Amino acid sequence: MSTLAVVFLSLLAATPSAAFVQPTLFSSTSATARFASKKEVTNGEVTNTKKDTNGEVTVNGNAATNGEASKDPYSFIVPILGDLHIDPRKMEDYSIGREHVTSIIKDAKSKVGNDNVALVSLGDLGESKNCDHNPDNPFELFAGTSKCHTIAADFLGSFDVPYEVIGGNHDLEGIDEFDSDARNLRNFLKCHGKETPQFCREIAEKTLLVGLCSTIFREATYTSHEVIIDDEQIRWFEDLLKSRPAEDGWKIFVFSHAPPNGSGIRIIQENHVVNGCCWLNHSSEKNCRKFIELVREHRCIKGWFSGHFHLGQDYQDSITFPTIDPSEGPYPNRGSCVFAQTSVMRAGTSRDGRQQSRLLRGTKDGFEICTIDHKNDGKVRVDATITYRDDNHEVGVYAHEDEAYEHDNYFKVYQPQVDDHAYVCGAEDEELCMLTPDPITDETVAWWKLSCGRVLGIVNGMMLEFDKSTLAPLGLVMSHDELSGKQVAIIDSGLEECMINFEEDGMDGADCADTEQDDSREQAVLVFDDDGVTVVQPNDDGSYWRKIVRNKIARMKERRREKAAVEFAQMFLPVRTEEEAKQKTLSTWGPYTTTSGVAKSTGVEGITKKTKELNEWRDLHFLFNLNHPPSKSSSLLFESAALVKRTGRHCRDDTPTHELIQRRCSKLP
């Protein structure tokens, strides 16, 4: 399997349709009946029996039948639905997909029994746009609303089998209806009959389905589309794993909206990676790595299913195994777990044209991961077969070659492997390491380790940071426009002796800052060309990737402020159009980072604070427009502007002079 991960740069847009009509496609059972058949694990204890409202004792929530006892207790079948993003105006694909899955469920019940069949939804239940669903608010997003979760619950409850669901990054997006994540979450739980965000179901003998739910949207420190598992769920999950060891025969299949760091499955660099919402708890270095650490420690985790990327299942790297062929690289250290990406059901939500769901089929000897192809009449295709060697080890085999159409035409992303051809230098190298002997282009591939253990790399003309343990991409350090045509070097920046600077305000003794807590060499990452050197400073926590995108609520408020500013500009500034007012409206953000110990300026050089060079260019631009007709090309403008700067030609022309020209000429040699 190639080490290149393919990502897609275009999203298929949903087409507009008729006004919202409450769908009547699903003849679902009542909420009571829908959830009566759950076999749950609460606080680590398995609940095997329940009483229904009539007082009848049931086994696993279903009335016991004579035929059930003869079924293999270790066999189970679970259809898995990826991001639904239901748009109530466009229900045709959901109706067709439901027919495909219910047919599989009916057959599954006859093979493994009613108790050993369940449905799992990976979240993102509603479309994140207005769907003409609320006449009182034509701007309200559908995702996360009461109406969204009611419709989703009716859909998921119409498959004639118990369902489990977890929240994704859009499921608490009911920002107009609910004023807090807590209230939105309570509504989510109520609509789906859940007591807790997480779930645990014993689907077969010593076999658990475990789900982890995203619970933060408004309160996200960075992007609201980061899938965040709260600390309480993480503690619950870890306690559960400790109580169900592989040595006792337990097998656990985990479900989350986004995959964990270290899973190795296909990702989208141009979206989820650079925006910091690719992995579970992406922005928290500790919690982002926590899940793969649990996978490595607890070999009872046999499979982990996720969605989030809207990518199909025709690529081999939509499934990754615990071990790989030694010819492809070092042992990936994924414990005993197989990771699987899940696609989408509706065409308008697919990034690559696929419309697929997953099917998990297990026995005492292993399990199969399959595709339900909704564009091919619900045909089931086996993608991978995993055989248990013992309680701690298994062998996975792909059932087919990579079936991605036009595979090589898609955007490919390099992911580092230990000691591969692109590894440039590490902590053991000399004081100066020239990483890129030639100027950086889109084809440049290089990565390196700093003495502190951080891993940076160049790929597709961008500088990225990678996780130092899994080598998974974490985020963007420098963009293509900042890096193209330049070079990168690593130099030692620690001082051999202490020097105290008494002259610069606020910097007394700063060169003698205590660095005892970090024994590594101090280094500086430099980006340079003939015009200068840029120091790539790390964040306060030592990481380098830029957490640029903040939560949606903050950004919405900022956009409203900017809109008000544009309206103000139209009223009080000499502008003629709204577009001109937008061009003259800027924003500032904090905190501003500088090596100065004294707050002197809040301006951003070149943005809110005009640079000397920019001022000169604007003067020249004005001079040029006075002396040339508007029909001249922009290239001529730049040529003439450069000529003015070099020779002051306009100052010697016999053209009428303007006051600004006279002032400008007086400064030229």
Side-chain angles (χ1 to χ4, degrees), residues 50-96:
K50 290 187 178 181
K51 288 187 178 181
D52 65 14
T53 53
N54 297 319
E56 176 186 359
V57 177
T58 61
V59 179
N60 294 338
N62 295 302
T65 62
N66 292 333
E68 295 300 313
S70 62
K71 303 295 183 183
D72 176 8
Y74 291 95
S75 296
F76 65 94
I77 296 177
V78 180
I80 303 162
L81 308 183
D83 301 38
L84 290 176
H85 286 290
I86 291 174
D87 184 331
R89 304 164 300 181
K90 306 170 183 177
M91 300 303 294
E92 182 180 2
D93 284 347
Y94 302 109
S95 181
I96 294 172

Side-chain angles (χ1 to χ4, degrees), residues 169 172-173 175 181 216-220 224-225 551-552:
N169 53 290
L172 300 182
E173 203 168 6
I175 53 181
D181 287 339
I216 296 176
F217 183 83
R218 297 157 186 78
E219 299 161 20
S224 296
H225 299 300
N551 80 64
K552 197 166 191 173

Side-chain angles (χ1 to χ4, degrees), residues 375-417:
K375 292 183 71 175
N376 191 15
D377 298 323
K379 179 182 178 181
V380 175
R381 179 191 71 204
V382 177
D383 294 328
T385 301
I386 294 88
T387 304
Y388 301 133
R389 289 169 52 192
D390 53 44
D391 290 335
N392 291 291
H393 303 86
E394 56 276 314
V395 175
V397 178
Y398 290 113
H400 57 81
E401 293 295 324
D402 198 328
E403 295 191 5
Y405 55 80
E406 297 180 357
H407 183 276
D408 291 334
N409 293 334
Y410 285 117
F411 188 80
K412 296 184 178 182
V413 175
Y414 166 80
Q415 181 163 326
Q417 289 189 359

Side-chain angles (χ1 to χ4, degrees), residues 267 269-270 273-275 411 413-416 446-448 454-467 472-480 483 544-546:
I267 56 175
Q269 177 174 314
E270 292 296 316
V273 174
V274 299
N275 290 330
F411 188 80
V413 175
Y414 166 80
Q415 181 163 326
W447 67 280
W448 61 93
R454 301 279 174 182
V455 178
L456 303 179
I458 305 294
V459 60
N460 300 311
M462 295 177 284
M463 184 185 296
L464 302 179
E465 180 171 5
F466 299 88
D467 184 87
L474 293 177
L476 180 68
V477 179
M478 291 190 77
S479 59
H480 181 280
L483 207 57
Y544 280 83
W545 71 277
R546 305 312 185 195

Side-chain angles (χ1 to χ4, degrees), residues 619-640:
D619 283 354
L620 296 171
H621 187 193
F622 183 80
L623 290 169
F624 176 82
N625 286 338
L626 286 176
N627 292 276
H628 294 83
S631 60
K632 297 292 185 180
S633 67
S634 59
S635 61
L636 179 59
L637 165 63
F638 285 105
E639 291 173 6
S640 298

Side-chain angles (χ1 to χ4, degrees), residues 343-573:
S343 186
V344 298
M345 185 175 285
R346 179 163 69 87
T349 63
S350 175
R351 280 190 165 94
D352 58 4
R354 275 60 164 200
Q355 293 172 249
Q356 301 164 325
S357 298
R358 283 287 184 198
L359 184 64
L360 172 63
R361 302 191 293 210
T363 68
K364 63 181 178 63
D365 299 317
F367 59 95
E368 290 178 334
I369 299 176
C370 311
T371 285
I372 305 171
D373 192 345
H374 300 301
K375 292 183 71 175
N376 191 15
D377 298 323
K379 179 182 178 181
V380 175
R381 179 191 71 204
V382 177
D383 294 328
T385 301
I386 294 88
T387 304
Y388 301 133
R389 289 169 52 192
D390 53 44
D391 290 335
N392 291 291
H393 303 86
E394 56 276 314
V395 175
V397 178
Y398 290 113
H400 57 81
E401 293 295 324
D402 198 328
E403 295 191 5
Y405 55 80
E406 297 180 357
H407 183 276
D408 291 334
N409 293 334
Y410 285 117
F411 188 80
K412 296 184 178 182
V413 175
Y414 166 80
Q415 181 163 326
Q417 289 189 359
V418 176
D419 295 328
D420 67 9
H421 69 282
Y423 183 68
V424 181
C425 63
E428 72 283 354
D429 286 285
E430 298 297 326
E431 294 181 2
L432 170 63
C433 180
M434 192 68 68
L435 299 172
T436 53
D438 300 310
I440 293 170
T441 68
D442 289 351
E443 286 70 43
T444 302
V445 177
W447 67 280
W448 61 93
K449 286 183 179 179
L450 297 173
S451 61
C452 61
R454 301 279 174 182
V455 178
L456 303 179
I458 305 294
V459 60
N460 300 311
M462 295 177 284
M463 184 185 296
L464 302 179
E465 180 171 5
F466 299 88
D467 184 87
K468 58 187 177 184
S469 172
T470 65
L471 294 182
L474 293 177
L476 180 68
V477 179
M478 291 190 77
S479 59
H480 181 280
D481 59 327
E482 296 176 285
L483 207 57
S484 181
K486 299 182 181 180
Q487 295 174 261
V488 180
I490 308 295
I491 63 171
D492 275 7
S493 59
L495 300 176
E496 295 184 0
E497 60 184 50
C498 176
M499 296 186 299
I500 299 179
N501 186 345
F502 293 102
E503 296 181 0
E504 186 175 351
D505 293 338
M507 293 295 287
D508 298 354
D511 292 339
C512 299
D514 184 10
T515 58
E516 290 183 1
Q517 41 189 322
D518 184 2
D519 294 331
S520 60
R521 286 170 28 223
E522 185 179 306
Q523 294 177 307
V525 181
L526 308 181
V527 175
F528 66 96
D529 60 12
D530 290 344
D531 293 329
V533 179
T534 298
V535 181
V536 182
Q537 301 281 12
N539 302 313
D540 290 343
D541 62 1
S543 65
Y544 280 83
W545 71 277
R546 305 312 185 195
K547 301 172 178 67
I548 298 169
V549 182
R550 288 154 303 108
N551 80 64
K552 197 166 191 173
I553 304 301
R555 289 185 286 118
M556 286 177 63
K557 291 179 179 178
E558 288 168 356
R559 282 197 293 268
R560 287 199 293 264
R561 296 185 191 107
E562 289 179 343
K563 182 178 179 181
V566 170
E567 293 174 354
F568 174 86
Q570 288 180 276
M571 293 175 60
F572 295 102
L573 270 61

